[in-house]
């Protein structure tokens, strides 16, 4: 599983004084007149963060020019830079995408791999969206990834930028769960139980206090509704995964923590602001919001990781739940939210 399950993640970097939000990022000088212009402070911060992206990408590209930059057993053979995948319409900054070619040698082994990272802006932060890869990939290249993306000083970002915000982890639907409803249902049940319990084995899952951005079911009173759905699907072993996801999104994910700024959150976006976001799983063949190869379960209750080792620790815990989910056992929950091992 450590060599096969693909994991997507985000690295985010914040500066305490930065205040720009989604509306600021969406503003463009040539846009609609109805859209209010952000204040000059926000505009200046967006431009400054955009410059930081360009400089950071240029630093990494320069490191890859010689084809001999090495950390540990990994050599950065080359770097290609392309326009990024823009999430916002703003023309105040330029998102960038880089593709690293990494060569790993050691103990009679040789591998050559490519990895793509998109540099973009999200509210108050620079966000790096990483191409899904395996646990083994992160472990194999940890030293050079730590240097390129987390080291302070000679490699950007400098010490004014601190890791913060979401370090969301996405589990690829196909490689983590296949087309197996029981595996996914088990995982959702085991996770809901783990984060509300006192078992120290799962303490790492409760470390983040970001309730507003990604609340657990029990924190906003949604656990009883989830238990009812689980019990219903226990009697429907042949149901498609999309049907379970649709029911959870519409009948369970109806609340978000009041600490989030709800003025900008539409009711239909509530499923996004959950500890487990299922919106990237299509509910039927007519739903093409997310390409089949990119369908995933997004685990949002993780703060931005300070290093690759921290990410690996979190993945080990998620993988323990995943192994239990795929063990052949059947887990459910009673009306009080207690874990039940079915016969």
């Amino acid at each position: 599983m450590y060599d096969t399950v693909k994991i997507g993640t985000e690295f985010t970097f914040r500066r305490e004084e930065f205040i720009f939000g989604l509306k600021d990022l969406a503003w463009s000088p040539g846009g609609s007149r109805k859209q209010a212009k952000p204040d000059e402070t926000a505009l200046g911060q967006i431009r400054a963060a955009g410059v930081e992206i360009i400089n950071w990408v240029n630093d990494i590209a320069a490191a890859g020019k010689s084809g001999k930059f090495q950390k540990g057993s990994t050599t950065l053979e080359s770097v290609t830079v392309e326009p990024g995948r823009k999430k916002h319409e703003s023309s105040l900054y330029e998102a960038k995408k880089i593709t690293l070619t990494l060569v790993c040698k050691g103990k009679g082994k040789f591998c050559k791999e490519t990895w793509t990272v998109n540099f973009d802006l999200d509210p108050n932060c620079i966000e790096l969206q990483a191409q899904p890869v395996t646990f083994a990939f992160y472990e194999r290249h940890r030293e050079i990834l730590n240097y390129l993306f987390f080291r302070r000083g000679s490699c950007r970002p400098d010490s004014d930028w601190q890791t913060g915000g979401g370090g969301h982890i996405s589990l690829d639907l196909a490689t983590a769960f296949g087309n197996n409803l029981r595996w996914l249902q088990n995982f959702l049940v085991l996770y809901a139980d783990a984060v509300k319990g006192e078992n120290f084995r799962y303490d790492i899952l409760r470390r983040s206090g970001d309730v507003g951005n990604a609340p657990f079911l029990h924190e906003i009173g949604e656990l009883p509704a989830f238990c009812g759905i689980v019990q219903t699907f226990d009697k429907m072993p042949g149901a498609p995964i999309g049907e379970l996801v649709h029911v959870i999104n519409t009948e369970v994910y109806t609340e978000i923590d009041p600490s989030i700024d709800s003025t900008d959150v539409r009711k239909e976006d509530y499923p996004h602001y959950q500890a487990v976001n299922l919106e990237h799983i299509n509910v039927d063949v007519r739903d093409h919001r997310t390409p089949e190869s990119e369908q995933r379960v997004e685990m949002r209750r993780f703060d931005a990781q300070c290093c690759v080792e921290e990410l690996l620790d979190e993945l080990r815990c998620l993988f323990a739940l995943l192994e239990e989910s795929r063990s052949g056992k059947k887990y459910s929950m009673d009306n009080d939210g207690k874990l039940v091992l079915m016969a």
Side-chain angles (χ1 to χ4, degrees):
M1 187 163 59
Y2 287 79
D3 291 306
T4 57
V5 175
K6 291 184 178 180
I7 310 123
T9 190
E10 300 170 1
F11 305 131
T12 56
F13 297 83
R14 292 182 180 272
R15 290 178 60 161
E16 289 185 5
E17 70 272 25
F18 277 23
I19 60 169
F20 58 83
L22 284 174
K23 288 184 177 179
D24 302 323
L25 288 167
W27 184 81
S28 178
S32 171
R33 293 182 179 178
K34 296 179 180 179
Q35 192 174 7
K37 181 181 178 180
D39 63 44
E40 290 301 321
T41 298
L43 293 178
Q45 291 175 352
I46 291 172
R47 292 189 182 99
V51 168
E52 190 72 13
I53 286 178
I54 300 301
N55 290 338
W56 192 355
V57 167
N58 287 343
D59 284 351
I60 295 174
K65 270 189 176 180
S66 67
K68 296 180 181 179
F69 184 79
Q70 184 174 357
K71 287 292 177 182
S73 59
T74 298
T75 300
L76 180 60
E77 182 178 89
S78 64
V79 178
T80 60
V81 181
E82 302 173 77
R85 187 179 69 247
K86 276 201 171 184
K87 298 192 301 181
H88 312 293
E89 297 178 358
S90 176
S91 59
L92 300 176
Y93 76 98
E94 184 180 2
K96 286 291 186 180
K97 180 175 73 172
I98 64 171
T99 300
L100 311 179
T101 299
L102 303 169
V103 176
C104 186
K105 299 178 182 178
K107 297 182 180 179
K109 295 183 179 180
F110 173 89
C111 70
K112 185 174 182 177
E113 302 172 282
T114 60
W115 189 48
T116 299
V117 180
N118 192 74
F119 289 68
D120 202 353
L121 294 187
D122 216 31
N124 308 319
C125 71
I126 294 175
E127 181 177 278
L128 279 60
Q129 302 141 359
Q131 172 192 355
V133 289
T134 64
F135 180 100
F137 177 96
Y138 281 113
E139 193 169 43
R140 184 160 50 242
H141 302 301
R142 67 168 76 189
E143 291 184 64
I144 200 165
L145 298 183
N146 272 332
Y147 182 88
L148 294 175
F149 300 110
F150 293 102
R151 186 167 182 257
R152 298 294 184 267
S154 62
C155 190
R156 295 176 187 277
D158 63 32
S159 56
D160 288 335
W161 292 89
Q162 302 294 330
T163 54
H168 309 322
I169 298 172
S170 293
L171 299 174
D172 175 61
L173 184 66
T175 55
F177 303 101
N179 194 31
N180 192 313
L181 174 68
R182 174 49 61 183
W183 287 2
L184 178 59
Q185 188 172 328
N186 277 349
F187 181 82
L188 298 176
V189 167
L190 289 168
Y191 182 81
D193 177 70
V195 296
K196 71 177 180 61
E198 297 301 325
N199 189 337
F200 71 93
R201 175 187 175 192
Y202 302 117
D203 189 59
I204 196 170
L205 299 179
R206 301 195 303 268
R207 187 164 56 190
S208 171
D210 196 5
V211 180
N213 190 45
F216 298 133
L217 294 173
H218 67 275
E219 290 176 326
I220 49 176
E222 290 183 330
L223 189 59
F226 175 73
C227 294
I229 298 302
V230 167
Q231 292 167 22
T232 297
F233 276 82
D234 285 336
K235 303 170 185 176
M236 302 166 56
I241 285 177
E243 188 170 340
L244 173 65
V245 169
H246 175 71
V247 174
I248 290 176
N249 281 343
T250 56
E251 298 185 23
V252 178
Y253 291 166
T254 60
E255 300 292 334
I256 54 175
D257 189 85
S259 64
I260 196 170
D261 182 10
S262 58
T263 59
D264 291 331
V265 179
R266 301 171 301 175
K267 193 79 174 178
E268 56 265 36
D269 291 331
Y270 279 21
H272 177 81
Y273 293 98
Q274 305 289 337
V276 183
N277 171 12
L278 301 174
E279 67 182 353
H280 297 292
I281 299 176
N282 295 342
V283 298
D284 61 40
V285 294
R286 295 167 296 176
D287 189 344
H288 298 296
R289 289 173 301 137
T290 302
E292 186 174 350
S293 61
E294 297 178 16
Q295 292 190 58
R296 58 198 182 273
V297 175
E298 184 186 39
M299 315 298 296
R300 292 174 54 84
R301 192 65 174 265
F302 290 99
D303 295 329
Q305 296 84 13
C306 295
C307 57
V308 173
E309 285 78 9
E310 186 176 331
L311 172 63
L312 292 175
D313 285 343
E314 293 167 349
L315 290 176
R316 288 187 185 97
C317 194
L318 286 177
F319 275 28
L321 292 179
L322 194 55
E323 287 176 342
E324 290 182 58
S325 304
R326 296 162 48 152
S327 66
K329 298 177 182 178
K330 297 180 180 180
Y331 292 97
S332 187
M333 279 187 156
D334 65 18
N335 292 333
D336 296 321
K338 183 179 178 181
L339 186 67
V340 175
L341 177 59
M342 302 173 65

